[in-house]
Amino acid sequence: MNEVNDVIQLSLPAKPEFVSIARLASSGAASRMGFSFDAIEDIKVAVSEACTNAVNHGYKEDEVGQIRMVMDCDVQSITITVMHDGESFNANEALKKLHPIDTTVDLEEVNEGGLGLFLINTLMDRVSISTESGVAVRMTKLLTRDGVEQIADKVSTTD
């Protein structure tokens, strides 16, 4: 018997005040699927970071844009793709800079650039970034952690 995936799609204005809607939608879907409280919190943070990046970096200040979010829910995982058609970036260069905050550096000197991608990569089980046309961040969280150890290089890119 084939399991049918549930697919949820949202289109939101690329404005900060709409990021919370994406968080609520992902939280609701993950809760319905049976994810733990901690896993749901991880998903919400990752979705917030991906949407915030789209808002802050995807469109010029006077440009009106949209964020599209697709949640593909199956029996083993939720895969959330956050996309926009705005400005792209060099994903490979950004990924080279992924690292936690250096605790030896004065807080006033910390550059927050790239921290969002670091968080997404840390909190989700699989991440891929496509920058071919706009940006699409695809994040997967496994319902059970059995397959996690099989994922050696979590983040992949397509430029």
Side-chain angles (χ1 to χ4, degrees), residues 89-99 117 129 155-157:
F89 68 101
N90 185 327
N92 288 322
E93 285 299 314
L95 292 174
K96 287 179 189 174
K97 298 175 184 174
L98 290 187
H99 56 80
L117 289 177
I129 302 169
V155 179
S156 63
T157 63

Side-chain angles (χ1 to χ4, degrees), residues 8-147:
I8 303 161
Q9 299 183 42
L10 292 174
S11 182
L12 304 165
K15 297 178 180 177
E17 57 267 31
F18 290 96
V19 172
S20 62
I21 294 173
R23 283 175 54 93
L24 285 170
S26 62
S27 172
S31 177
R32 182 200 61 80
M33 293 176 65
F35 279 93
S36 70
F37 175 81
D38 289 339
I40 291 169
E41 291 302 308
D42 290 350
I43 291 166
K44 287 169 36 180
V45 170
V47 166
S48 292
E49 290 298 333
C51 289
T52 299
N53 282 345
V55 168
N56 291 341
H57 306 294
Y59 299 98
K60 294 180 174 83
E61 195 170 315
D62 58 344
E63 191 176 12
V64 177
Q66 292 289 119
I67 299 171
R68 291 180 317 284
M69 186 168 87
V70 177
M71 294 177 280
D72 189 355
C73 310
D74 65 33
V75 295
Q76 297 176 14
S77 65
I78 185 169
T79 297
I80 302 168
T81 307
V82 175
M83 303 163 274
H84 68 79
D85 296 325
E87 297 277 327
S88 190
F89 68 101
N90 185 327
N92 288 322
E93 285 299 314
L95 292 174
K96 287 179 189 174
K97 298 175 184 174
L98 290 187
H99 56 80
I101 294 176
D102 183 352
T103 57
T104 63
V105 175
D106 187 1
L107 191 55
E108 292 177 7
E109 297 175 26
V110 172
N111 179 3
E112 68 178 270
L115 189 56
L117 289 177
F118 174 77
L119 285 172
I120 292 168
N121 184 45
T122 301
L123 297 172
M124 300 300 279
D125 295 317
R126 276 187 228 119
V127 179
S128 65
I129 302 169
S130 173
T131 56
E132 291 175 13
S133 174
V135 176
V137 179
R138 184 178 173 96
M139 309 165 279
T140 299
K141 188 75 161 177
L142 301 173
L143 191 53
T144 58
R145 308 262 316 154
D146 295 342

